[in-house]
Amino acid sequence: MNLLTTLFFGFLSLTGFCNGICMEEERQALLELKQGLVDHADRLSSWVASNGECCKWKGVVCHNLTDRVLQLHLSAPTQIVDLYDSVTLQLFGKISPSLLHLKHLSYLNLSNNDFGGIQIPKFFGSLKSLKFLDLSNAGFAGKIPPHLGNLSNLQYLSLRDNDLLHDENLHWLSGLSLLKHLDLSFNNLNKASNWFHFVNTLPSLLELHLAGSHLPKGQAEAFSSELGYA
Ligand SMILES: *[C@@H]1O[C@H](CO)[C@@H](O)[C@H](O)[C@H]1NC(C)=O
Ligand SMILES: *[C@@H]1O[C@H](CO)[C@@H](O)[C@H](O)[C@H]1NC(C)=O
Ligand SMILES: *[C@@H]1O[C@H](CO)[C@@H](O)[C@H](O)[C@H]1NC(C)=O
């Protein structure tokens, strides 16, 4: 190895360039997340402290230069769920606020798991880098925390097919000025008066799904016919 090559590889290892070894803080955060989850099928078997290359852990995607955690793909695979055993591939349990240590997290997909009727955690509203948040069919219930309105970078939000209830006020939606895709289908938002005002003022919205959301009727029909949504 000549001097230049040595210097070059020295530089690469100093900067941690593309070696899959994430920051200690982020690795700990992922391990804490795993600790709170109940994972019968051992889907997170690669998530272990002895394996420092957390960018290669299943479901984790890091930035290709900085190795910061960007994406968590933790949805349960629906096709297999239907064919085999619907229980075992789902994640249950608690969602640790350690996620807040993933400062660059832009994609979080927890769909098709079963969080047993807990409320959507308020701290999700502090995951400031999120652009994609998919919580569809994941066993969330109760009121939607208005904290989600703090996710000002959010482009995609699906709360489809949970047991979310009566949200009298969807004013938090107005904080989501970059939102392109919104899915509130199959919930019970029957007390969300004035909701269409908030949806109507989302400047970036391209796609809206409200089937079976039980939003107050008159408004939904007026809104759909006005904008040509089905
Ligand atoms: C790294 O990511 C950037 C942006 O996501 C992308 O444009 C680039 O092609 C990637 N580079 C490599 C080597 O994969
Ligand atoms: C989340 O995962 C499900 C199941 O794998 C997939 O169908 C869905 O498109 C994902 N959501 C996003 C926003 O990528
Ligand atoms: C986030 O939103 C909630 C409710 O809308 C609010 O009470 C809280 O102060 C906000 N937090 C931050 C950090 O912006």
Side-chain angles (χ1 to χ4, degrees), residues 104-194:
H104 296 255
L105 189 67
S106 70
Y107 177 104
L108 177 61
N109 194 340
L110 295 173
S111 72
N112 307 324
N113 293 301
D114 186 358
F115 295 106
I118 59 164
Q119 211 190 4
I120 294 171
K122 293 187 176 72
F123 75 79
F124 279 12
S126 303
L127 297 166
K128 294 283 192 190
S129 301
L130 278 186
K131 293 181 180 162
F132 295 85
L133 179 58
D134 192 340
L135 303 179
S136 56
N137 185 30
F140 290 107
K143 291 194 174 193
I144 304 170
H147 307 70
L148 294 187
N150 295 335
L151 295 173
S152 55
N153 290 307
L154 208 60
Q155 296 174 19
Y156 180 109
L157 176 63
S158 180
L159 304 179
R160 183 188 180 86
D161 211 354
N162 284 287
D163 269 317
L164 303 170
L165 285 181
H166 325 294
D167 222 314
E168 3 0 302
N169 201 339
L170 291 176
H171 73 275
W172 54 272
L173 276 174
S174 52
L176 307 179
S177 62
L178 297 181
L179 199 65
K180 293 182 184 158
H181 177 116
L182 174 64
D183 193 340
L184 299 173
S185 313
F186 305 105
N187 283 291
N188 195 8
L189 306 178
N190 58 1
K191 294 206 177 112
S193 57
N194 228 0

Side-chain angles (χ1 to χ4, degrees), residues 17-18 62-65 70:
F17 183 80
C18 273
C62 294
H63 188 280
N64 58 12
L65 300 178
L70 297 183

